[in-house]
Amino acid sequence: SNFQCLIDISNDDVDLEQLVNDMNSSMESVYSGVAQGHRRHTSPLPPSSPSRERLRQSQPMHIQAVRCLQEEHQLRPASLPAIPNPFPELCSLAGSPVLSPMQTSNNHIVKVWSEDGAGKVVEIPADMTARDVCQLLVYKSHCLDDNAWTLVEHHPILGLERCLEDHELVVQVQASMSSDSKFLFRKNYAKYEFFRNPLNFFPEQMVAWCQESDGSIPQSQLLQNFLNSSSCPEIQGYLYMKEPGRKSWKKLYMFLRRSGLYYSTKGTSKEPRHLQLVSDLEDSNIFTIITGKKLHNAPTDYQFCIKPSKVRSDCKELKMLCAEDEQSRTCWMTAFRLLKYGIVLYQNYNAPQQRKANLLPLSAPVRSVSENSLVAMDFSGRTGRIIDNPVEAQSAAVEEGQTWRKRSQRMNVLGSPSPLHPSSLSTVIHRTQVWFHGRIMREEAHKMIIQQGQVDGLFLLRDSQSNPKAFVLTLCHHQKIKHFQILPCEEDGQVFFSLDDGATKFTDLIHLVEFYQLNRGVLPCKLKHPCTAVAL
């Protein structure tokens, strides 16, 4: 039986150790070709070696995939066929989706905030300018691109903000900002207003070469001196500067040149030994201070600041300055931009006009009140004519207002009382307009006008705080903000709105705004630029 055979074999006088050695030697002879390379480095142990006396169990060993493949390729003899790897991409660092590093994109993530607190995330390349980002946001938000949109670099902790120039790289600016800073998407009508009316931005008493020459300086010569790098324009005047490490301010006579901002240590002397450098222009940017004069104990409300580009959140490196009035502050800040960037600003100003001129043969441009000056017209004859006489324009304005009132009365007679009746629409239709901002305070209206550039004709409408049935027109003229109350008046059971105590009446606020966009009337200037808050 099988059991008996096993017993007999075990009882035979057989040398088990010799049998195992013979089996090992036979296996080595079979695979001698495979082990030739290995024997060159490690010689086999003799059969009588003590380590061979006892068989050892195999132990698990961790072998890396790449190293294993390399050793297999080196030790495989030429006589054995090579087995192709069915999944080469899994063991290759270059092609493996797991082993290879992530493919980094050249695009960067930028988050932009709107006036209402909403944010939009955009992915942009590293070479995208601020103007291109604005056009992208205009396209995504379905806004009218009137070349007034801008990106604002906002630092809430420092209380600073500035409008980026159109040619600045957004990713580069973002790299120099702190974690609490952010970009705002806002309109700024005053960005290039100094190219249209330079004399309003540069008073002759503040421009050194204007003061030395006799007579008035033409606008073209004024701008050429700023844009030409070979000329030496100079802005001069008194400024308050905050002393470093203290809350006190010192009034100094300062000079702004291409080489930087200086103050005189001896009165108004311009001698080089009396001039002390405050800041250069190349590695600095100029900001508006938005925290108010109480926080810094400033002598006036017209503060601005020069901040080095490399400084992120260190208040000690900021040069805090304060002007006497808004006109002088605007002059200093505009001259800083012109002297720093020069002809590049003029190229930024001309770029939209050139792009529009190239598109004229293909498509008609969208007409915008902000870009086109509106004039009073007379269409009573066969052809229309421009009314140049202001007295005639005033009488035409009154007559046009009466015509609108009569048209509304005819609609009231012919129409039927319904939710869409003109009389009910007149009380709510203005809420759909971009220039109406509802129940905002006077201070908030001031802030919005200042943020979007204090140019002539910038306006908004809001609810009156003192009279719940009235409205207020907030208008900027000569860098001053004025408020005009729009009172309701009733006539023959119909409610009208008027700015001039009932002399000119309008059925709703849209008619009123359209009228004063064409005619100045009792206002100091026409309504030109609506103060807009867009929702991203």
Side-chain angles (χ1 to χ4, degrees), residues 200-234:
N200 294 341
F201 284 78
F202 302 104
E204 292 189 2
Q205 69 271 13
M206 295 187 63
V207 183
W209 58 273
C210 290
Q211 195 176 28
E212 295 172 0
S213 61
D214 297 330
S216 61
I217 304 298
Q219 294 188 4
S220 58
Q221 185 179 352
L222 178 63
L223 286 177
Q224 286 176 4
N225 278 269
F226 279 103
L227 298 177
N228 189 3
S229 59
S230 61
S231 61
C232 302
E234 186 178 284

Side-chain angles (χ1 to χ4, degrees), residues 129-139 149-151 166 185:
T129 62
R131 176 59 186 162
D132 295 334
V133 173
C134 287
Q135 287 185 316
L136 177 63
L137 294 174
V138 164
Y139 172 76
W149 294 104
T150 185
L151 282 183
D166 286 346
F185 183 53

Side-chain angles (χ1 to χ4, degrees), residues 13 38 240 249 289 349 441 452-453 465:
D13 194 9
H38 185 66
Y240 296 94
W249 295 71
I289 301 177
Y349 166 67
M441 306 289 287
Q452 300 195 16
Q465 301 176 17

Side-chain angles (χ1 to χ4, degrees), residues 278-428:
V278 177
S279 175
D280 64 341
L281 277 64
E282 185 65 27
D283 298 327
S284 302
N285 289 309
I286 194 161
F287 287 79
T288 303
I289 301 177
I290 58 176
T291 53
K293 67 177 184 178
K294 291 184 178 180
L295 181 62
H296 302 287
N297 197 26
T300 68
D301 290 323
Y302 312 104
Q303 304 175 73
F304 61 99
C305 170
I306 298 178
K307 174 179 173 292
S309 302
K310 61 181 179 180
V311 175
R312 293 195 175 187
S313 59
D314 189 6
C315 298
K316 297 180 180 179
E317 298 291 333
L318 304 180
K319 306 298 182 182
M320 312 287 285
L321 302 168
C322 191
E324 293 282 0
D325 51 30
E326 181 60 41
Q327 187 181 31
S328 58
R329 177 174 72 168
T330 305
C331 179
W332 286 103
M333 299 184 68
T334 306
F336 188 99
R337 295 171 56 204
L338 274 171
L339 292 176
K340 180 178 180 180
Y341 297 109
I343 196 66
V344 179
L345 286 187
Y346 189 69
Q347 294 171 354
N348 295 341
Y349 166 67
N350 274 338
Q353 279 77 8
Q354 294 176 355
R355 184 167 55 250
K356 186 186 298 184
N358 297 333
L359 294 176
L360 275 177
L362 302 177
S363 61
V366 179
R367 181 173 179 83
S368 173
V369 176
S370 302
E371 300 176 15
N372 302 274
S373 58
L374 304 177
V375 296
M377 297 287 294
D378 178 19
F379 295 102
S380 58
R382 292 185 177 181
T383 59
R385 66 181 182 89
I386 299 177
I387 302 177
D388 297 323
N389 189 353
V391 178
E392 185 181 0
Q394 178 68 22
S395 61
V398 175
E399 183 179 355
E400 182 67 16
Q402 298 294 334
T403 305
W404 275 338
R405 184 161 59 95
K406 293 177 181 178
R407 186 190 310 135
S408 175
Q409 287 177 348
R410 289 196 301 268
M411 293 177 65
N412 291 339
V413 172
L414 297 176
S416 58
S418 65
L420 298 179
H421 194 271
S423 59
S424 59
L425 275 179
S426 62
T427 59
V428 295

